[in-house]
Amino acid sequence: MTPDLLLNLQIIENYLEDDYNITYFSRWNDKQKLVSACVYYGQRELDETFVYVAEYSVFQQHPIHDSGICRIIVNAPEHSVLSSPSSRIEIDHVEHWEEVFEQVQVIFARHRSWSRELFRILEEGGGLYELLLSAQNYFGNPLYIHDENYTVLASSTWVVGMTPVIVDEEKGIRTFSFEKIQQLKSNPEYMETMTTHGTHFWMPSYANHRTIYANIWNRDHYCGRVLINELNNSLKPGVIPMLEYFTQFLVRVFEMDQAKSKNTLTFEHIIDRMISGETIEENLILTRLNLIGWKRTHRYVCFRIEHDQNSSTPISLPRISGTMNLILKKSFSVCREDGIFTVCNLTLSGYAEPDYRKKMQDLCATAHVVIGSSNEFSDFMLLREYSSLTFRALELGRASGKADSAYFRFSDYALDYILFHFTSDFKVSTVCSDAVIRLLRHDTEKQTDYIHTLKCYLENGCQQTAAADALFIHRSTLVYRLNKICQISGIDLDDPEKRLYLQISIRLLERG
């Protein structure tokens, strides 16, 4: 059973030193035992699980003789000697000493909140990834876990400076390169770290930053390790007990994985089942969303990735799937036999449409794939519906014959889809405007091109000058043609609804 989270004075000192001038810090017998803070006013009954906070004058008037009591002394003079050796923090030049007490209370509250979150993740079926996301928010640095074979089991994110990984072509898993693994195995100092217990700092010769690691042991079996990279925030001594505490939750996951049924639902499985149209309890979906910090009402977009049929050297889909979270932040990918489905959280990633469009276009060029993109949506429960748009985008994009494009947005083909979807029960000529049919018949019999003239006129907003320029004819010639078009077909170009009907009819005839 994972114990409750307890603090020590070192952890508290690491937080206070950012806001206060700490003149003295003693960690004498500084066990990890603290559960809260208390104001000291000279009371006789003291609890070793509390840290006592007060001004120097209070401690001077009511000395504490029990060396097991932790204390924070505010506005203490330099080189003060109050008692026998004890664990204490001395702070000077604080106008209102009560603010120090309040700050310490906030530190305890933050840690209690994190501990509750970790327990909740386990209770609600979360795994390594959900735990790492929570830990990254706490530690402020990226983390990852690899197993004994150097396979990356989970990562909170991957940024420049972290150990490079490659993707297995067949399995789609991320792992260190063969060269990196051999480098590690040939390093005696590194191999010695694989036998350690607890948390340790590590500064390898091949890196430019420190890491802190903890090996994961399950019943004396080495399962791998969790690492924090010192890339965003400085790693202070108080991180050591916190990573040791966090590692206990990782061990629980490894223990549970051995006993879990193969039918256990991961978040990827939930996505796969949703886009397949299977019924999943809404509360389960929302619970799993909450575990990774996603909300039902966040903004999302979906992608469907398939091999380019014209490519002679396609990259395997599992490999592409395994690297999608490196290409798109805050995304999940599911690799299926015929393609990859990806959903990206736009709210958390901060992407605008041009951002993810550029990333997907680059992927098309480098991986020789074609991609269909859905419209954006703001209800995760509509994932199935919007995933279908990615299939339609690919279908319509390929049918369009655009040789210079491999990235197809549904929004670019939405009108075509709407038109053909609602005319699927009839022949195109049946639902088209009679006037357009008469024009088409006249063009065929007389070898004229009045349909094209009408289309260009409508597309230019019925602006005669713009339409004439587009047709490379004089404006008076356009006026003559429009008069002939009205005579032949009986078209009323002054009615906006009829103009729309004419445009739709021409569009249907072109695609029919």
Side-chain angles (χ1 to χ4, degrees), residues 10-154:
Q10 176 69 77
I11 298 169
I12 297 173
E13 190 272 345
N14 286 168
Y15 282 92
L16 293 179
E17 68 177 359
D18 293 332
D19 299 314
Y20 301 102
N21 182 32
I22 296 177
T23 57
Y24 183 81
F25 174 40
S26 170
R27 291 190 57 196
W28 188 85
N29 195 25
D30 188 23
K31 295 180 180 179
Q32 201 169 337
K33 60 183 180 180
L34 301 176
V35 298
S36 189
C38 182
V39 172
Y40 182 61
Y41 52 85
Q43 62 268 44
R44 293 185 178 183
E45 296 294 329
L46 302 177
D47 190 331
E48 288 193 357
T49 65
F50 284 75
V51 57
Y52 290 88
V53 185
E55 283 196 290
Y56 172 79
S57 58
V58 177
F59 286 103
Q60 187 180 40
Q61 185 177 356
H62 306 284
I64 298 177
H65 300 291
D66 186 346
S67 59
I69 299 298
C70 295
R71 60 209 81 175
I72 298 176
I73 304 169
V74 184
N75 292 324
E78 191 174 356
H79 306 303
S80 65
V81 179
L82 286 175
S83 62
S84 59
S86 61
S87 295
R88 69 182 187 272
I89 298 172
E90 296 184 5
I91 302 173
D92 69 355
H93 302 304
V94 178
E95 184 175 355
H96 302 288
W97 72 268
E98 294 90 349
E99 72 178 46
V100 177
F101 173 74
E102 292 174 358
Q103 180 68 12
V104 175
Q105 291 283 59
V106 169
I107 294 170
F108 278 102
R110 181 172 186 265
H111 285 78
R112 282 194 295 269
S113 176
W114 184 48
S115 178
R116 287 194 296 268
E117 182 178 2
L118 295 177
F119 278 107
R120 179 178 59 82
I121 289 172
L122 290 186
E123 291 169 359
E124 296 180 356
L128 297 178
Y129 177 73
E130 290 87 351
L131 288 173
L132 285 188
L133 283 183
S134 175
Q136 176 167 309
N137 291 333
Y138 173 81
F139 292 112
N141 283 299
L143 301 88
Y144 69 98
I145 300 171
H146 69 71
D147 65 10
E148 66 271 29
N149 298 315
Y150 301 97
T151 297
V152 177
L153 302 177

Side-chain angles (χ1 to χ4, degrees), residues 326-343:
L326 304 181
I327 299 170
L328 281 178
K329 295 186 299 183
K330 303 301 180 181
S331 66
F332 269 95
S333 294
V334 176
C335 189
R336 316 181 93 188
E337 291 183 1
D338 54 350
I340 300 167
F341 175 80
T342 298
V343 56

Side-chain angles (χ1 to χ4, degrees), residues 275 341 374 383-393 410:
I275 63 179
F341 175 80
S374 75
L383 183 67
R384 161 67 176 170
E385 187 170 338
Y386 280 84
S387 68
S388 299
L389 295 188
T390 64
F391 286 88
R392 296 299 183 188
F410 180 80

